[in-house]
Amino acid sequence: MTKSSSITPQEKRLTFSFPKELDPLRIPEHIAVIMDGNGRWAKAKGLPRAMGHTAGVDALKTTLKLCSNWGVGALTVYAFSTENWSRPGEEVGFLMTLFKRVLKRELESLKLQKVRISFLGDLEKLSSELQDLILEATTLTAKNTGINFNVCTNYGGRRELVKAAQRLALRSVNGEIDPALIDENVFAAELSTANEVDPDLLIRTSGERRISNFLLWQLAYSEIYITETLWPDFDENALIKALLDYQSRCRRFGGLKHVSKDKRNLEI
Ligand code: FPP
């Protein structure tokens, strides 16, 4: 084993530059975000809802950059749920066009930032043009070594669980797997997040107190942070506040004692 491979993510983060308020040893490895409040942000400013989504892209770019700079391993965002198709056709159309425009425009920057982008959800329902762009972006960034950026698009937690169950049932029927051997690890490996650790922190903006069918399995032990800030206003200060709140939490995972991610480094 080389020396560098024994460096923990926490130790690696000591080499990044951090806002002084934050403890580099307690940066979440995986952050999930429900980006909510774009419509209300636009309405409050007398603008069309679409402008809220456009402003939301800027907030997303800021958050991705900061997470990447601060050594967060993965950022998973809820961009479009399986339920969002029920919005007016005009808004759905705008969002789909926005996804295409942003993907085209930001691909070079994602490559430069070493971001590895993935799309989670039922992508077959998206237009072939968007699917092609997704394929291009995921292929061209697949070997990047920076943050994993997961964009949940036409994603629903229940649908993801049902699909995983179907795949395991099929493998059982085909004699490929013994049903008695299906445990939590086997099940989690069937999910779209199979390559990620579960989110340490879920951030939801705009004050709503719901999970909204997002990462139902993966959020089992995530710390939940809800802020009244509307997504387009979510900036560096807002992210620092969320991280400070996370760093104040005692994570027990159902036990009685705080469980640190890296027992070598943390004394809490
Ligand atoms: C929720 O706010 C937001 C969405 C449904 C869309 C989020 C999408 C983006 C921020 C763009 C992301 C772009 C890429 C390329 C990943 P809302 O419309 O439900 O707001 P409201 O609750 O105030 O009406």
Side-chain angles (χ1 to χ4, degrees):
M1 190 185 278
T2 63
K3 192 163 184 275
S4 64
S5 67
S6 65
I7 291 178
T8 65
Q10 285 85 356
E11 283 166 339
K12 197 171 154 208
R13 285 186 196 111
L14 290 173
T15 64
F16 293 95
S17 124
F18 278 91
K20 58 179 182 336
E21 309 94 300
L22 291 178
D23 177 355
L25 296 178
R26 296 198 68 193
I27 292 294
E29 183 59 24
H30 184 175
I31 299 179
V33 185
I34 301 178
M35 310 179 287
D36 199 7
N38 294 350
R40 273 163 285 169
W41 181 90
K43 192 173 176 207
K45 291 185 155 37
L47 298 169
R49 289 178 60 81
M51 298 289 283
H53 297 311
T54 308
V57 173
D58 292 334
L60 181 54
K61 280 172 63 182
T62 303
T63 300
L64 175 63
K65 199 170 177 96
L66 293 169
C67 286
S68 167
N69 289 349
W70 297 343
V72 173
L75 175 69
T76 301
V77 298
Y78 209 3
F80 194 88
S81 74
T82 45
E83 291 73 32
N84 284 151
W85 295 106
S86 66
R87 294 189 175 206
E90 195 188 343
E91 181 166 343
V92 171
F94 179 85
L95 280 167
M96 293 300 148
T97 304
L98 186 67
F99 295 154
K100 283 187 272 186
R101 191 167 2 120
V102 172
L103 260 184
K104 277 187 207 157
R105 193 183 66 203
E106 300 299 329
L107 185 54
E108 278 312 305
S109 151
L110 293 175
K111 278 163 41 189
L112 279 175
Q113 287 182 71
K114 297 194 170 64
V115 172
R116 193 164 63 166
I117 192 168
S118 302
F119 285 78
L120 316 184
D122 280 350
L123 306 181
E124 313 88 64
K125 206 178 162 192
L126 306 175
S127 70
S128 53
E129 194 192 345
L130 181 51
Q131 288 189 48
D132 288 348
L133 283 167
I134 287 175
L135 185 64
E136 185 189 4
T138 49
T139 311
L140 290 176
T141 63
K143 293 208 167 81
N144 284 353
T145 52
I147 190 169
N148 290 346
F149 177 39
N150 304 311
V151 184
C152 294
T153 314
N154 193 24
Y155 173 90
R158 286 185 173 178
R159 186 177 293 181
E160 180 182 40
L161 293 174
V162 168
K163 286 206 151 190
Q166 282 176 346
R167 273 195 298 275
L168 287 169
L170 195 63
R171 283 171 59 196
S172 300
V173 169
N174 291 341
E176 292 165 25
I177 188 166
D178 176 354
L181 297 180
I182 298 175
D183 60 11
E184 291 185 12
N185 290 332
V186 172
F187 196 88
E190 292 296 327
L191 302 175
S192 53
T193 48
N195 299 322
E196 304 289 5
V197 295
D198 287 340
D200 302 293
L201 171 65
L202 169 71
I203 297 172
R204 181 163 190 158
T205 56
S206 90
E208 303 293 350
R209 289 160 170 76
R210 285 189 293 277
I211 299 287
S212 298
N213 204 13
F214 189 43
L215 302 175
L216 295 181
W217 172 281
Q218 299 87 336
L219 294 174
Y221 281 103
S222 307
E223 297 298 323
I224 299 179
Y225 175 80
I226 292 166
T227 170
E228 297 295 323
T229 303
L230 303 174
W231 177 249
D233 290 328
F234 194 85
D235 57 8
E236 177 164 356
N237 280 337
L239 182 60
I240 291 175
K241 263 173 89 177
L243 292 175
L244 281 174
D245 188 87
Y246 169 79
Q247 294 190 339
S248 74
R249 305 281 180 96
C250 176
R251 302 192 74 192
R252 294 193 296 270
F253 295 91
L256 295 180
K257 288 192 181 137
H258 175 85
V259 180
S260 70
K261 288 226 146 179
D262 181 350
K263 297 186 182 67
R264 286 192 297 155
N265 283 325
L266 294 177
E267 281 179 29
I268 291 167

